[in-house]
Amino acid sequence: MADYRKMWEDLGMDVDTHDQLCEVLPQAFGDVYLSQENRPEAMDYFNFVVAEIHGVRPAELIEHQKKGGKVFGTFCVYVPDEIVFAADAIATGLCGGSQFWVPGGEKVLPTNTCPLIKASVGARLDRTCPFFRIADMYVGETTCDGKKKAWEILAEDVPVHVMDLPQMKREKDVCSWADEIREFKKVVEDFTGNKITAEKLADSIHMINQKRKALERLYAFRRNDRLPISGKDVLLISQIAFYDDPTRFTEMTNKLCDELENRVAEGVSVFPEGTKRIMLTGTPLAIPNWKIHNLVETSGGAVVCEEMCTGTRYFERLVDETKTTVDEQIDAIAERYMGINCACFTPNSARIDDIVRLAKEYKVDGVIDVNLKFCSLYDVEGYTVEKALKEAGIPVLGIETDYVDSDAQQLRTRISAFIEML
Ligand code: BJ8
């Protein structure tokens, strides 16, 4: 990685502790990613983004701030990026996916909190991630109890705006989410000093839709019998989608898709014939959490789809681009986002339908229901997920894990046995 020490110091980071992360990440990335054979050439861009993860993009965000722009940090796919970008600000995902940050979170949170929350809080309070330092304002949501309380702790250290997400999907809930987005628009306008016009909002809606379309296009290649790209690589791209510049990301993803089109035409596959097709469902896999994909793809399986927030929930369905007033545009945004199926909703039968639909569309041999430890929402919903899959005749394996590596061997045994029996 190029030398960004000065930038990190200026951000008030604990540079010495951060060095430890910089030492282990390239090794982990090399082991999981660079060891793969016959990767598409266009993955070079995404490799570069990860290699420079705490350098290139943070430097761009700082440049934006120097010109007077603001950066908003988000933690959930319900927070509409469209509003942020329409105010000439930048939205960046902040979810922590590494065990490195967990002990920092445990200083203030109960141990039995999900690792995603602990890592996110730890990254901020221990000052070991540039993105968490750069964001001028954090945008939280009322999805799960752990997050709701974590915002209060983070708010002692950084401005936090919390969006009140309804937990049911009745007509009045969609309206109340639209109101919440209107309020968010006002907060963003006041914080940035920039007015969000219909024209600006139309542009940002279009930009984010383009990104969704690129991801949809990428995922479509995974429906092929011969898989031109590994699940690991697609996961990496899904993770990068949360913080890269959206326009550049779309362009680079489409470039990769052009290459994959050629691969499909030539019948190239990165897996041997007969490799079992696995879909993952459950809690999100924030970067650099590559654990389950790596286990599956080194145990005779290929991950062909993720019904996750780092997966289909992030890009399926577009915001209607035909609306012309800000009010109508916000209604359209609310409509699209309320179509996401997080386990914090009740009932959440649309997620169950999605899982069965996706399992068929991607012709999967089996599904792994992955739950982050201490996430009771997805844990409890696992009952309904597994029941529906069994009824549809699709084999399912439920696993619970966190960011530590100590259970990797035991998980490998269970995953290998599952794949063998398919
Ligand atoms: S829309 S999945 S990104 S809330 S933090 S709920 S794992 S206990 S992340 Fe999420 Fe939005 Fe839903 Fe998606 Fe469980 Fe952990 Fe809570 Fe979590």
Side-chain angles (χ1 to χ4, degrees):
M1 196 187 303
D3 191 7
Y4 294 103
R5 238 187 139 75
K6 167 90 175 61
M7 180 180 87
W8 295 330
E9 277 164 8
D10 292 347
L11 286 170
M13 286 173 60
D14 175 349
V15 178
D16 292 337
T17 308
H18 180 251
D19 281 349
Q20 296 166 18
L21 181 63
C22 295
E23 270 164 34
V24 293
L25 203 58
Q27 175 72 38
F29 186 69
D31 290 350
V32 176
Y33 277 93
L34 305 179
S35 59
Q36 297 179 98
E37 276 170 28
N38 198 15
R39 295 175 79 209
E41 271 175 35
M43 281 309 294
D44 284 354
Y45 169 72
F46 301 99
N47 292 342
F48 166 75
V49 172
V50 175
E52 299 278 321
I53 189 165
H54 282 180
V56 167
R57 186 60 177 154
E60 286 179 356
L61 298 179
I62 293 168
E63 246 346 272
H64 168 75
Q65 286 173 320
K66 280 188 189 149
K67 290 189 218 130
K70 297 286 186 205
V71 175
F72 290 77
T74 63
F75 299 84
C76 176
V77 299
Y78 280 97
V79 174
D81 287 352
E82 288 89 342
I83 300 292
V84 174
F85 283 100
D88 293 325
I90 296 177
T92 186
L94 286 185
C95 291
S98 167
Q99 178 62 22
F100 182 78
W101 294 303
V102 168
E106 286 178 342
K107 286 182 203 159
V108 292
L109 295 164
T111 316
N112 60 353
T113 306
C114 114
L116 198 149
I117 300 175
K118 287 192 287 198
S120 300
V121 170
R124 170 73 201 186
L125 300 187
D126 277 356
R127 300 178 288 114
T128 45
C129 174
F131 289 97
F132 279 80
R133 300 300 304 163
I134 290 168
D136 298 292
M137 179 183 270
Y138 287 11
V139 188
E141 13 58 46
T142 54
T143 43
C144 69
D145 290 353
K147 277 186 172 185
K148 271 190 277 202
K149 294 288 112 182
W151 310 139
E152 294 170 20
I153 296 172
L154 288 168
E156 292 177 352
D157 200 44
V158 57
V160 177
H161 172 72
V162 180
M163 297 185 76
D164 185 7
L165 182 73
Q167 317 258 283
M168 294 179 80
K169 294 193 177 178
R170 301 158 301 184
E171 195 48 46
K172 66 175 179 179
D173 297 311
V174 182
C175 292
S176 98
W177 186 235
D179 285 344
E180 202 58 26
I181 297 174
R182 282 186 187 94
E183 198 178 308
F184 180 48
K185 168 182 166 278
K186 175 95 181 45
V187 168
V188 172
E189 285 179 331
D190 290 348
F191 199 68
T192 58
N194 297 332
K195 182 110 190 84
I196 296 177
T197 62
E199 215 181 355
K200 285 258 178 207
L201 195 48
D203 286 348
S204 70
I205 289 173
H206 180 70
M207 177 178 75
I208 306 292
N209 273 347
Q210 290 302 106
K211 174 157 116 170
R212 294 188 181 110
K213 283 184 194 169
L215 284 164
E216 177 83 58
R217 186 178 167 210
L218 173 65
Y219 266 61
F221 290 107
R222 306 169 85 190
R223 296 190 183 134
N224 285 302
D225 292 336
R226 299 179 72 78
L227 294 164
I229 185 165
S230 69
K232 274 195 248 192
D233 278 338
V234 177
L235 172 68
L236 188 69
I237 296 165
S238 296
Q239 292 171 332
I240 288 172
F242 283 78
Y243 65 91
D244 198 12
D245 173 77
T247 304
R248 180 179 55 211
F249 173 86
T250 301
E251 190 190 318
M252 299 317 281
T253 304
N254 276 322
K255 195 174 147 209
L256 167 68
C257 290
D258 293 342
E259 185 182 345
L260 297 184
E261 230 156 57
N262 292 335
R263 284 190 158 207
V264 170
E266 288 160 12
V268 175
S269 174
V270 292
F271 294 102
E273 216 168 305
T275 301
K276 297 297 177 190
R277 302 170 67 89
I278 305 295
M279 178 168 105
L280 300 190
T281 181
T283 45
L285 302 171
I287 200 161
N289 183 3
W290 307 308
K291 186 170 164 179
I292 303 298
H293 279 66
N294 191 39
L295 286 171
V296 169
E297 298 198 335
T298 50
S299 303
V303 179
V304 295
C305 182
E306 298 84 10
E307 189 284 320
M308 292 177 155
C309 289
T310 39
T312 55
R313 277 183 236 141
Y314 185 64
F315 64 78
E316 280 203 328
R317 292 162 306 98
L318 303 175
V319 175
D320 184 348
E321 291 188 37
T322 63
K323 307 295 178 192
T324 50
T325 67
V326 171
D327 242 9
E328 289 170 348
Q329 288 168 321
I330 289 184
D331 286 341
I333 291 172
E335 196 74 40
R336 186 266 157 195
Y337 280 81
M338 283 292 275
I340 302 169
N341 300 313
C342 175
C344 64
F345 281 83
T346 184
N348 197 30
S349 47
R351 174 168 173 240
I352 313 302
D353 297 345
D354 272 351
I355 294 170
V356 175
R357 166 180 63 85
L358 291 165
K360 289 181 182 157
E361 280 178 14
Y362 288 82
K363 297 178 270 184
V364 311
D365 295 301
V367 174
I368 302 182
D369 183 17
V370 190
N371 193 52
L372 277 176
K373 246 185 207 160
F374 307 120
C375 176
S376 53
L377 289 169
Y378 280 85
D379 197 8
V380 175
E381 196 158 281
Y383 165 80
T384 321
V385 169
E386 288 169 31
K387 189 163 140 247
L389 284 167
K390 279 179 194 148
E391 274 165 19
I394 302 161
V396 54
L397 170 72
I399 58 176
E400 190 174 63
T401 184
D402 56 13
Y403 295 165
V404 295
D405 280 329
S406 51
D407 61 353
Q409 211 35 54
Q410 186 213 346
L411 286 174
R412 181 179 294 286
T413 310
R414 292 185 60 205
I415 289 171
S416 305
F418 177 65
I419 291 174
E420 246 167 59
M421 114 207 161
L422 294 174

